[in-house]
Amino acid sequence: MTAIPFALGARHKGFNRAEVVDQNFIEFVQLWQGHVRHAPRDGEAVLPGSVLDARGFRELLESQLISRHLDLMARVLRVQNKVFYTIGSSGHEGNAMVARLTRHTDPAFLHYRSGAFMAERFRKIPGMDPVMDSALSFAASKDDPASGGRHKVWGSKPLWVLPQTSTIASHLPKALGTAIAIEQAQRIGHTLPIPDDSITICSFGDASSNHATAQTAFNAAAWTAYQKLPAPVLFVCEDNGIGISVKTPSGWIANNYQHRANLDYFFADGLDLADGYAQVQRAVEHCRGTRRPTFLHLKTTRVMGHAGTDFEIEWRSIEELFAVECSDPLLRSATIALASGLYSKDELLNLYEATRKRCFAAAEDADARHRLTSLDEVMAPLAPYTPAAVKAEAERADYAEKRLAVFGGEAKLPENLPPRHLAIQIGQALHDLLAKYPQALLFGEDVAQKGGVYTVTKGLNKTFKGSRVFNTLLDETMILGLAQGYANMGMLPLPEIQYLAYFHNACDQIRGEAASLQFFSNGQYRNPMVMRVASLGYQKGFGGHFHNDNSVTALRDIPGLVVGCPSRGDDAAMMLRTLMALAKVDGRVCAFLEPIALYMTKDLYEPGDGQWQFDYPAPDRGMTLGEGRIYNETADDLVVFTFGNGVPMALRAARAIEAELKWKVRVVDLRWLAPLNDAFIAAQAKSAKRILVLDEGRKSAGVGEGVITAIVEAGCGATPLRRVVGADTFTPLAGAALLVLPGEADVVAAARDLR
């Protein structure tokens, strides 16, 4: 490469590195002295030996320049509060090659340094403007077509770029899940929204490749390929050699990935369009043709620091910064442009300045547009709910013939059988739902032949076969990544998390990814799913913290997530129907907490009384979101609010309270834990003389706190009230568990305190 004349004053420690990079390009072009070839025509190689033609190079160069000037614009206008994002793509402009060599129908999950990728992909659909759309996003404008002003994201519904925020590897599992879903859809006869031979693209940095979430995706990809199952994902590691200020050891990415079995490694020079293009092309064609997980190691650099707030001169030597700025890929692109004869110096500089002017003009336009100004506007796409449509879908029962085939005839339909307990009725409901929704898939650890640890899913694998009910590897992060992938492809996933404690290992896949997608895409993308979780305490003969986890807080804190928790089988069936309807109609992410201790419970008061077994509700019966169940509705001496295991416990305690204190006791089963139905809680509280809140969760941050808040805010704070709750501790093994969980005696004792 021709020597770069360093910008005047650039060695001064206080010099703005963005200005240096900008001036370097201009001076490099002005002083370039190389040999000029005869300009190639469209269709001819831009340089001898390159597979990149002249037209392709011109368009890639334009995309690189758009990306660069968006970065420069952001640095200038951030200090004027006209843009709100300065994590740039400078040095990563080679990712435009990946965009050019893939299709706009290949779902893309992108690294935040993907400005050139986006600019190039915009070419795939005529009439779209990468500059204006990006400027609107930088400005947090309400008119931003990606997020509606909620975040600076690279995203586009028409271009199949699913919005990511500041992705540190958390997007890799769902990218792999989407790749697997492309193939799975064809096995179950589901019509894809994209071509059958699509691949998914997932880009990330070299530092992010070390994250546990990245490693789980690479492992799952290899695990899938090892079994000769297709997984057409193109992992693009954009290796700039540094993560914020921590350097990646030289050669680490190549050493770590080029010899991994069942993860096919390719290298490409992302700093050189002429050389790198063929290398990227080989990786893309390999992934699409073989349908195998492919790792593209794309060499990049990082100029202008991590973000606008990163003053590299404070922690990097000026000599090191100089060397990095010399590796700027735009300088190599300028050399190709000039040496090929495609551009004269003046033409190239005119294009550079015209692109600058275009980006600044778009930014000024975006700054004048509307921004989000009300809470309602901000929250509009977070938790869509159309009650009438959800009710109609939950109660839709137009699949009678399928039900007869699934259950084996009229006499064997569950509503024609004797009352049954919770585990059986959940299993029956799942048979119903898989018959109703041919696009539904149920998967998780041990759910297929074994039927789950508690045999709740027994028989589903035999009835619906392995393409719809199947085991996964033991990795909750990947289970939830798969769920998002299936949802992206229009299916209705029913992932199972074996125990609530195991969910905490993978919480970010729901908190940071699935539940945020509708919000950050302004409702354009969604992750409909119903996550089933064996949950809560009181499990006898087995347990400890990981099998008696009563921490619901991590779920209730996730914006937009629906959380339901039944205490009896008929409720469970109707709630599952409503949750599936919420997922299908409104795209909601839902969690269904199944109380382990109640799975096999048949009796309520006395052994053999059978009073905790119920008739299976006919398939045309659903349940309104937030609707509770009331026992002894007219009683007002004491009202007990509870859920899950607390319901039969409260009913048994109510008998003792009525016998001892002569009070009539009403028990209120909340059933829905997020969102809590504050109006329902208030209505029950207002007619109560005394109130107990029974929450088996921990004292701090439990469901009970939300219930009490609803009661107090409704003006019932003067009503005598007590909370019966678990201790702030992990659950121990065996009988010691009952020392930290509330029991019937605790409920009776609390009632005495209210006399």
Side-chain angles (χ1 to χ4, degrees):
M1 182 181 292
T2 305
I4 301 168
F6 206 65
L8 182 64
R11 288 189 178 275
H12 191 278
K13 286 192 175 183
F15 205 86
N16 185 313
R17 305 318 297 179
E19 292 180 19
V20 171
V21 170
D22 186 19
Q23 191 63 30
N24 275 347
F25 183 88
I26 295 169
E27 292 187 8
F28 180 84
V29 173
Q30 289 172 337
L31 299 176
W32 187 79
Q33 302 269 326
H35 173 71
V36 178
R37 298 176 179 276
H38 177 71
R41 295 189 296 268
D42 287 353
E44 294 180 347
V46 65
L47 289 178
S50 176
V51 301
L52 177 61
D53 73 344
R55 177 184 173 184
F57 171 77
R58 282 198 305 269
E59 293 183 348
L60 285 169
L61 174 62
E62 290 170 6
S63 295
Q64 289 186 315
L65 293 178
I66 287 171
S67 179
R68 176 60 55 86
H69 278 298
L70 286 171
D71 285 357
L72 293 170
M73 172 273 293
R75 297 297 178 97
V76 172
L77 297 186
R78 175 65 192 94
V79 296
Q80 301 176 32
N81 283 326
K82 292 185 176 182
V83 303
F84 303 94
Y85 185 88
T86 58
I87 296 181
S89 303
S90 296
H92 285 245
E93 289 88 355
N95 57 36
M97 294 185 287
V98 180
R100 187 170 189 85
L101 286 161
T102 54
R103 307 169 185 161
H104 77 276
T105 49
D106 291 330
F109 303 82
L110 300 180
H111 187 41
Y112 43 63
R113 303 194 191 279
S114 296
F117 180 102
M118 288 299 298
E120 185 63 27
R121 182 166 271 209
F122 266 83
R123 297 182 190 282
K124 307 283 185 178
I125 299 180
M128 297 189 72
D129 183 358
V131 174
M132 193 65 228
D133 281 12
S134 298
L136 290 166
S137 188
F138 275 94
S141 168
K142 184 179 174 181
D143 297 335
D144 165 27
S147 76
R150 288 167 187 82
H151 203 286
K152 166 65 192 76
V153 296
W154 298 120
S156 170
K157 179 67 172 178
L159 296 175
W160 270 98
V161 179
L162 288 80
Q164 312 301 307
T165 54
S166 293
T167 46
I168 307 299
S170 60
H171 58 310
L172 272 70
K174 66 180 181 182
L176 173 60
T178 303
I180 293 172
I182 290 170
E183 300 295 322
Q184 188 90 350
Q186 298 170 60
R187 290 195 288 273
I188 70 170
H190 174 70
T191 301
L192 285 166
I194 55 177
D196 289 354
D197 65 343
S198 297
I199 65 173
T200 62
I201 303 151
C202 181
S203 60
F204 49 93
D206 49 294
S208 294
S209 73
N210 300 304
H211 198 283
T213 312
Q215 293 300 316
T216 201
F218 299 144
N219 178 71
W223 186 83
T224 303
Y226 179 77
Q227 299 175 87
K228 309 223 181 304
L229 296 171
V233 58
L234 180 68
F235 291 120
V236 184
C237 181
E238 299 188 14
D239 182 5
N240 64 24
I242 197 165
I244 305 183
S245 67
V246 179
K247 294 179 182 178
T248 297
S250 179
W252 169 248
I253 297 299
N255 240 0
N256 198 12
Y257 293 98
Q258 66 181 333
H259 301 303
R260 287 201 184 191
N262 297 299
L263 187 60
D264 302 340
Y265 175 91
F266 290 79
F267 173 83
D269 187 353
L271 303 177
D272 190 323
L273 296 180
D275 286 347
Y277 195 78
Q279 299 160 342
V280 174
Q281 186 176 50
R282 282 194 290 272
V284 171
E285 290 177 351
H286 173 84
C287 184
R288 197 178 305 278
T290 65
R291 318 303 287 165
R292 284 174 56 83
T294 304
F295 188 99
L296 173 59
H297 179 190
L298 188 69
K299 182 181 179 182
T300 63
T301 190
R302 191 187 79 192
V303 295
M304 294 163 46
H306 174 72
T309 54
D310 178 19
F311 297 103
E312 289 183 294
I313 196 68
E314 295 179 353
W315 56 272
R316 277 179 120 166
S317 70
I318 192 68
E319 290 75 20
E320 186 179 353
L321 283 175
F322 179 57
V324 168
E325 288 158 0
C326 285
S327 67
D328 185 347
L330 261 61
L331 302 180
R332 175 57 184 157
S333 293
T335 300
I336 298 169
L338 297 170
S340 67
L342 285 174
Y343 293 86
S344 68
K345 291 182 182 181
D346 286 345
E347 287 170 338
L348 184 55
L349 289 174
N350 287 340
L351 175 62
Y352 188 76
E353 293 303 330
T355 308
R356 185 199 306 274
K357 183 178 180 181
R358 181 183 172 193
C359 289
F360 271 86
E364 294 292 347
D365 185 353
D367 180 55
R369 303 286 189 96
H370 297 293
R371 291 196 171 96
L372 298 171
T373 57
S374 72
L375 179 60
D376 286 344
E377 284 182 313
V378 170
M379 294 185 63
L382 176 65
Y385 180 39
T386 50
V390 169
K391 175 179 170 63
E393 179 61 32
E395 297 177 353
R396 178 174 63 84
D398 55 357
Y399 57 107
E401 290 187 14
K402 290 182 180 178
R403 292 190 80 230
L404 289 172
V406 163
F407 289 109
E410 186 78 28
K412 294 183 179 180
L413 292 175
E415 61 267 32
N416 295 331
L417 298 177
R420 304 302 296 270
H421 53 280
L422 179 66
I424 293 294
Q425 292 201 330
I426 290 175
Q428 291 169 332
L430 293 172
H431 276 82
D432 245 338
L433 291 170
L434 287 171
K436 182 176 182 177
Y437 298 108
Q439 73 273 41
L441 304 168
L442 188 146
F443 51 93
E445 302 166 9
D446 302 305
V447 301
Q449 293 84 354
K450 180 177 174 62
V453 174
Y454 300 97
T455 67
V456 175
T457 59
K458 187 174 182 180
L460 286 166
N461 175 257
K462 183 177 180 181
T463 301
F464 295 100
K465 311 306 178 190
S467 58
R468 294 189 61 199
V469 180
F470 52 92
N471 294 325
T472 66
L473 71 176
L474 273 65
D475 184 339
E476 287 74 26
T477 296
M478 199 58 238
I479 290 170
L480 297 177
L482 281 170
Q484 293 174 80
Y486 292 129
N488 288 334
M489 292 296 101
M491 289 172 264
L492 282 174
L494 278 154
E496 177 181 296
I497 301 298
Q498 200 165 79
Y499 291 100
L500 181 57
Y502 298 177
F503 167 76
H504 303 311
N505 300 332
C507 179
D508 189 53
Q509 287 299 303
I510 299 297
R511 175 186 300 278
E513 296 295 337
S516 72
L517 183 60
Q518 289 199 126
F519 182 77
F520 287 122
S521 70
N522 200 18
Q524 297 175 88
Y525 282 106
R526 44 192 243 171
N527 275 141
M529 71 174 73
V530 178
M531 175 181 65
R532 296 177 44 251
V533 190
S535 305
L536 307 180
Y538 303 99
Q539 192 176 179
K540 296 178 181 177
F542 187 45
H545 167 62
F546 276 97
H547 305 97
N548 274 302
D549 189 351
N550 56 3
S551 177
V552 183
T553 307
L555 286 160
R556 292 187 63 243
D557 182 54
I558 299 174
L561 182 69
V562 176
V563 182
C565 181
S567 64
R568 45 190 270 182
D570 54 346
D571 283 356
M574 292 186 288
M575 292 173 78
L576 276 169
R577 292 168 190 165
T578 296
L579 290 168
M580 286 293 276
L582 282 164
K584 184 176 187 296
V585 173
D586 291 324
R588 299 295 292 273
V589 182
C590 307
F592 189 62
L593 307 185
E594 301 172 3
I596 299 169
L598 297 181
Y599 270 149
M600 305 301 174
T601 298
K602 302 178 179 66
D603 308 320
L604 178 58
Y605 298 112
E606 306 292 342
D609 69 15
Q611 290 195 47
W612 211 243
Q613 299 185 104
F614 301 94
D615 292 326
Y616 184 82
D620 61 354
R621 292 180 59 196
M623 184 191 300
T624 302
L625 177 63
E627 179 185 349
R629 180 182 286 278
I630 305 167
Y631 298 84
N632 202 9
E633 189 166 1
T634 60
D636 62 0
D637 292 319
L638 176 67
V639 174
V640 182
F641 291 92
T642 190
F643 64 93
N645 293 306
V647 177
M649 181 188 298
L651 290 171
R652 288 190 292 269
R655 273 197 170 186
I657 293 167
E658 289 172 1
E660 178 182 337
L661 303 176
K662 311 305 180 188
W663 291 349
K664 298 297 183 183
V665 180
R666 185 191 326 160
V667 174
V668 177
D669 182 356
L670 298 169
R671 297 195 289 202
W672 303 97
L673 308 185
L676 279 174
N677 188 340
D678 290 354
F680 169 71
I681 293 169
Q684 295 301 312
K686 284 178 179 178
S687 58
K689 296 176 181 175
R690 304 166 189 85
I691 297 172
L692 277 180
V693 177
L694 171 56
D695 174 7
E696 74 165 80
R698 298 170 194 156
K699 180 180 180 181
S700 299
V703 175
E705 291 185 352
V707 176
I708 291 173
T709 299
I711 291 168
V712 172
E713 289 183 346
C716 302
T719 305
L721 183 150
R722 291 289 184 278
R723 181 162 58 128
V724 181
V725 69
D728 279 340
T729 179
F730 299 105
T731 306
L733 191 63
L738 299 180
L739 300 174
V740 305
L741 295 170
E744 292 169 38
D746 300 310
V747 178
V748 176
R752 292 192 193 105
D753 289 344
L754 290 170
R755 282 182 292 188

